[in-house]
Each structure stands twice: as C-alpha cells, then as structure tokens.
Amino acid sequence: MATGSVKLLGVWASPFVNRVEIALKMKSVEPEFILETTLNKSELLLKSNPVYKKIPVLLHDEKPICESLVILQYIDDSWPNGPSILPSDPYDRAIARFWASYIDEKWYPLVVEFMKAEGKEEKAAVLEKISEGNLLLEEAFIKINKGNSFFGGDRIGYLDIVLGSLLGWVKAIEMMDEMKILDETKMPSLAEWDKRFCSDNVVKDIIPQPEKLAEIHRKFHQMKKATSN
Amino acid sequence: MANDEVILLGFWPSMFGMRPRIALEEKEVKYEYREEELMEANKSPLLLQMNPIHKKIPVLIHNGKPICESFIAVEYIDEVWKDKAPLLPSDPYDRAQARFWADYIDKKLYIPAKTIHITKGDEQEAATKEFIEVLKVLEGVLGDKAYFGGDNFGYLDIALIGFYCWFHTYETYGNFSIEAECPKIVAWGKRCMQMDSVAKILPDQQKVLKLAKVLRQIYGLE
C-alpha cells in the first residue's frame, strides 16, 4: 500500500483533472488539492511539469507525474489494494488503452474543434465527423461491457473514467451552441451508461454540472476579451 | 506459450512498426512478420479488417485478435510474455516516467523529424531546429545511463530506437550532424545496435535514405 503525501495540481473544471480525482477516490485516497489558475501558472506547476506546463499534475511524495492517462495507470500501479482501474486481462487492457487513445487523440479534439468552429455550416461539418466517432464508441461499448453496466464491468474502470470525464464539457458545449453532440437515438447504450456514470457514487461530486461549466466558459472568454482590449 | 499464433503487420522503415517487432525479438517469441505497403490502395485486406479505424501498421495479431497502436502492442507483449526480458520498469514511478517520455516522443519528435525530410526551405529549417531541441530534452532524460531503462534496454529505448536508423536521412536533408548536437544519443544508438533484436529489426541507414529520396521525388521536392 503506497504511503506518502498526495497532492493534485488542478482546477475543478478540467475534465483531465476530474479523471485523476475519480481514480484517487476509487482507491480511497484523498489528495491535497492545489488550485491552479489557467492564466497565472504557479512556480510549482512550472517546476513539476516543465515539458507541457499543464494540469493535472499528481505529486506523490513530492515526485511529479504528468499526463492524465499516465497518472491513471500510476494510481492503479501504486494502490493495488483498491478496486482496479484497468482490466486485469492483457487483451482487455490493450482494448481499453486503444479506445482511451482514440478518445483523447481523435474524438475529443473534434469536440473542441466543434466548439471553436464559427457558423452553423462549419459546426455541422465537424458534427458529422463527431457522429461517426460516436457510432464507433457505441459499438465499442456494446462489445467491451459484455452485458454489464460500465466499460469496466459492474463498476467503473479506466475507459469509463476517460470518456465519462469529458461528458460535462460535451453537454456544456451542447448548451452553448444549442446543438446536440450526443444523439440518444443513435447511441442508446451510451446514453444509458452516461446516466449511470454521472450518478455513480465515486463520480457524482466530481464532474461539474454542465451549467456551471458553460458559465465558467462565458466568464473566461469575457475576461480574455477584457484583458486583450 | 506453445501453439500461439503471432503475426505482426508492419512496414520495414516505420519506427512504429519496429517497436513491437523488437519487443517480440527481445522476448524470443515466434512470430510471422508480414510486410504491408505504404500506399493506401495497396493495404492488405487483413490490415483493413484488423485495424478498421486507423488502417495503419503496426498491428499485432495474437491468436486472431488484433492489438493496434505501437505502444499498446509493446505493453501487451510485455504483459503476456512476462517471463523473459521485462520491458517496462517494475517500480510504478519509473513506469510512469517511461510512459510519459514515450508519449512525448510521439507527440514532439515525430512531426519535426518527418518534416525535415519531406519539406525544404524555411519549413525544413524550423523542423530541424525543433527536432534538435526535442532530441536534446531526450538526451537529458538519458543522462549518463547506458540505456533509458538504466542498465538494461527497455520500453523507452524501444520507443526511440526506431528513429536511429533515420538519423542519416535527417542529417542529409537537414544539413546538420546529430552526433555534434546530441553525442550521448548517438552513442546510445550505437550501443543498442549491438543488440541482436535491434540489429535484426532496424533497416540499414542507406536503405532508409534511398526511400526518403523516392518520397521526396513523389512530393516533387527533387
């Protein structure tokens, strides 16, 4: 059982930070949460993550671990006595890692692109690509869950955390743009999973409400506009 | 693990393809290597069936089940054939560092490296500068160790070594000396080439340069 201080550098609104919070909660580890601000990075952050200068950073016994997916696996390795985050079977692990990579490198960047796109036509074009991805994720979920509630089986695991953490922002963007990204009619299984994930005991106090995220987004942009004038 | 059927779909100059191949060699796993072609139109039905989402090599096929993405395949190999030549460190913190830097290589080194030999002029110069900067960071990670894995060749060595056979190509088109900029990295590369697995899998640097020349002709750069 790992000992030593556990600190998490982050902001409550970052889905990548939320991932780490969920994983630590699964292992019953309570970190000291060190609040960063996006516009004014602390010395500690710059020292702990000189390569990317980004949150989340986990400090375990003052040693930094960066990149959310690396941190999730580190947490799983360091606290083996708690519930497993990654599956135990090597093939299932490979599949989980594959889809996590797909979500972070292909799917979510499209969601961000959608948010930044200007005009209904541009947004619609990106939305079409996202929809293709949604179908892949729906198929993957059905294959992976083997009839269970979550990607991880009967309790949440790696892939639930990776995808689930992003849903707050996806819904916030849907609100702001008044366009549906997650179509329940086309992804019925994931729509049900979404509800289960968000109401799960480990998750429910961590993923912020979409309304709050939309508000933060608006405030952030107002602030940026004000400082650049 | 007798009666295992292991197939690796790769493309000979691909540094990504080299990773699982070296891992399999290190573990002394019997596998069948199948060469895929670069051009989209010539990809084999097996590749398209096994990696329908990305349609890319490498694909490891173990008893009919595909494992895609080079780092995922290497970790899978390490976990399945765990009795020989451990690739990832055993300490969780060291494992996290190995994964972090492997990911860094793909995020930060690959594009500048590729850009050096498929462009010219300002774009090429900028890419060369960036490549050197990133390689210097990696040289810092290596430090005075024999391998990134410490005393033993491991995951992070596998992550980077495929770039080594492309060094001559980068130097030729970027017009610089990697040894002058990053002597420890070059020394490390030579050390890795002493290993059977690496020597078997890495193609000759001249052969790679010839391919790069053909690619430049295709791109209309010479």
Side-chain angles (χ1 to χ4, degrees):
Chain A
M1 187 77 155
T3 52
S5 65
V6 181
K7 296 177 186 169
L8 174 58
L9 273 64
V11 295
W12 59 264
S14 160
F16 306 102
V17 172
N18 293 157
R19 287 176 178 175
V20 179
E21 291 178 88
I22 294 168
L24 288 170
K25 196 161 176 190
M26 276 177 80
K27 301 286 190 179
S28 304
V29 175
E30 259 188 72
E32 180 193 334
F33 196 96
I34 299 177
L35 190 64
E36 284 291 324
T37 51
T38 346
L39 296 176
N40 227 353
K41 297 186 183 193
S42 72
E43 275 306 307
L44 180 60
L45 174 58
L46 298 175
K47 190 181 74 162
S48 307
N49 191 357
V51 173
Y52 300 115
K53 307 177 176 52
K54 281 182 172 179
I55 45 115
V57 177
L58 184 72
L59 289 165
H60 190 197
D61 255 338
E62 311 301 331
K63 294 196 292 189
I65 303 103
C66 311
E67 295 293 286
S68 65
L69 298 184
V70 175
I71 298 173
L72 289 185
Q73 294 181 86
Y74 174 80
I75 290 169
D76 212 20
D77 286 341
S78 298
W79 286 276
N81 293 336
S84 290
I85 295 173
L86 272 142
S88 48
D89 174 73
Y91 190 73
D92 294 338
R93 289 159 79 90
I95 295 295
R97 286 173 173 140
F98 174 86
W99 286 107
S101 168
Y102 173 80
I103 288 162
D104 274 9
E105 286 165 32
K106 301 271 183 236
W107 187 80
Y108 194 62
L110 284 175
V111 173
V112 174
E113 197 185 321
F114 174 85
M115 181 184 70
K116 292 182 175 164
E118 300 193 350
K120 285 250 155 172
E121 250 180 58
E122 213 184 303
K123 283 203 189 272
V126 182
L127 189 57
E128 213 184 300
K129 287 193 230 166
I130 298 175
S131 300
E132 281 169 23
N134 289 348
L135 288 178
L136 291 176
L137 291 172
E138 172 80 1
E139 271 170 36
F141 177 65
I142 293 166
K143 248 193 183 157
I144 292 169
N145 76 1
K146 298 171 189 158
N148 289 310
S149 304
F150 300 104
F151 286 97
D154 53 17
R155 56 149 65 110
I156 65 168
Y158 188 71
L159 209 38
D160 300 282
I161 298 173
V162 171
L163 182 59
S165 57
L166 301 170
L167 297 177
W169 273 105
V170 172
K171 290 168 192 165
I173 293 165
E174 284 180 331
M175 272 179 190
M176 293 188 285
D177 286 314
E178 292 169 350
M179 277 170 94
K180 264 278 173 196
I181 298 174
L182 305 169
D183 184 345
E184 301 92 10
T185 59
K186 299 210 176 116
M187 353 162 34
S189 305
L190 277 180
E192 290 300 305
W193 163 84
D194 177 359
K195 292 188 195 128
R196 285 194 295 269
F197 178 80
C198 291
S199 56
D200 184 271
N201 274 326
V202 175
V203 171
K204 67 179 195 278
D205 297 323
I206 294 174
I207 309 277
Q209 291 303 313
E211 296 83 3
K212 281 198 112 178
L213 293 173
E215 198 191 312
I216 269 226
H217 183 84
R218 271 190 285 269
K219 279 196 177 142
F220 182 76
H221 276 266
Q222 278 168 8
M223 215 167 33
K224 264 185 110 177
K225 258 188 166 171
T227 56
S228 66
N229 279 344
Chain B
M1 278 217 147
N3 305 322
D4 265 331
E5 186 200 52
V6 183
I7 300 172
L8 199 297
L9 306 181
F11 176 50
W12 66 268
S14 161
M15 57 278 276
F16 305 102
M18 288 172 215
R19 290 167 179 164
R21 290 172 74 189
I22 293 171
L24 288 168
E25 294 287 335
E26 280 291 294
K27 301 279 187 178
E28 293 178 15
V29 175
K30 269 205 159 117
Y31 68 101
E32 180 194 339
Y33 174 68
R34 293 195 198 169
E35 190 71 51
E36 286 288 330
E37 290 189 48
L38 179 64
M39 294 294 137
E40 183 84 35
N42 294 337
K43 292 186 179 185
S44 75
L46 183 63
L47 173 59
L48 300 176
Q49 181 202 356
M50 293 284 142
N51 191 359
I53 292 170
H54 303 299
K55 304 180 176 52
K56 282 183 173 177
I57 59 96
V59 179
L60 174 70
I61 308 171
H62 186 200
N63 295 330
K65 297 198 288 192
I67 299 100
C68 307
E69 301 290 286
S70 63
F71 289 140
I72 295 175
V74 172
E75 289 223 36
Y76 176 83
I77 291 164
D78 203 29
E79 288 167 15
V80 171
W81 290 279
K82 54 181 182 278
D83 298 328
K84 179 166 228 124
L87 300 174
L88 270 148
S90 49
D91 173 73
Y93 188 75
D94 295 339
R95 286 161 86 87
Q97 293 308 297
R99 286 178 176 137
F100 174 86
W101 289 113
D103 177 64
Y104 173 83
I105 289 166
D106 277 5
K107 277 193 167 93
K108 297 285 185 183
L109 191 68
Y110 176 64
I111 290 179
K114 186 174 176 176
T115 308
I116 296 173
H117 69 91
I118 62 166
T119 61
K120 58 183 179 183
D122 288 342
E123 204 180 341
Q124 186 183 58
E125 220 181 291
T128 305
K129 270 207 178 93
E130 210 181 322
F131 175 83
I132 293 169
E133 252 175 59
V134 173
L135 203 61
K136 283 193 165 155
V137 172
L138 291 166
E139 194 176 51
V141 176
L142 177 65
D144 292 316
K145 303 195 293 286
Y147 302 100
F148 283 93
D151 293 329
N152 294 310
F153 182 82
Y155 184 78
L156 193 46
D157 302 277
I158 291 181
L160 186 60
I161 195 60
F163 285 82
Y164 182 74
C165 60
W166 279 86
F167 278 9
H168 185 47
T169 299
Y170 304 145
E171 289 175 320
T172 303
Y173 292 113
N175 194 25
F176 69 115
S177 156
I178 297 181
E179 186 150 20
E181 300 285 349
C182 300
K184 286 182 181 170
I185 291 284
V186 173
W188 160 84
K190 287 180 182 161
R191 192 174 300 123
C192 292
M193 287 297 292
Q194 299 297 314
M195 298 172 57
D196 289 340
S197 57
V198 176
K200 179 176 176 189
I201 300 300
L202 258 62
D204 181 68
Q205 299 218 26
Q206 290 299 333
K207 194 176 174 196
V208 173
L209 181 64
K210 266 201 183 129
L211 173 75
K213 189 157 193 198
V214 168
L215 286 176
R216 281 181 81 82
Q217 284 163 356
I218 294 174
Y219 285 116
L221 292 166
E222 48 188 74

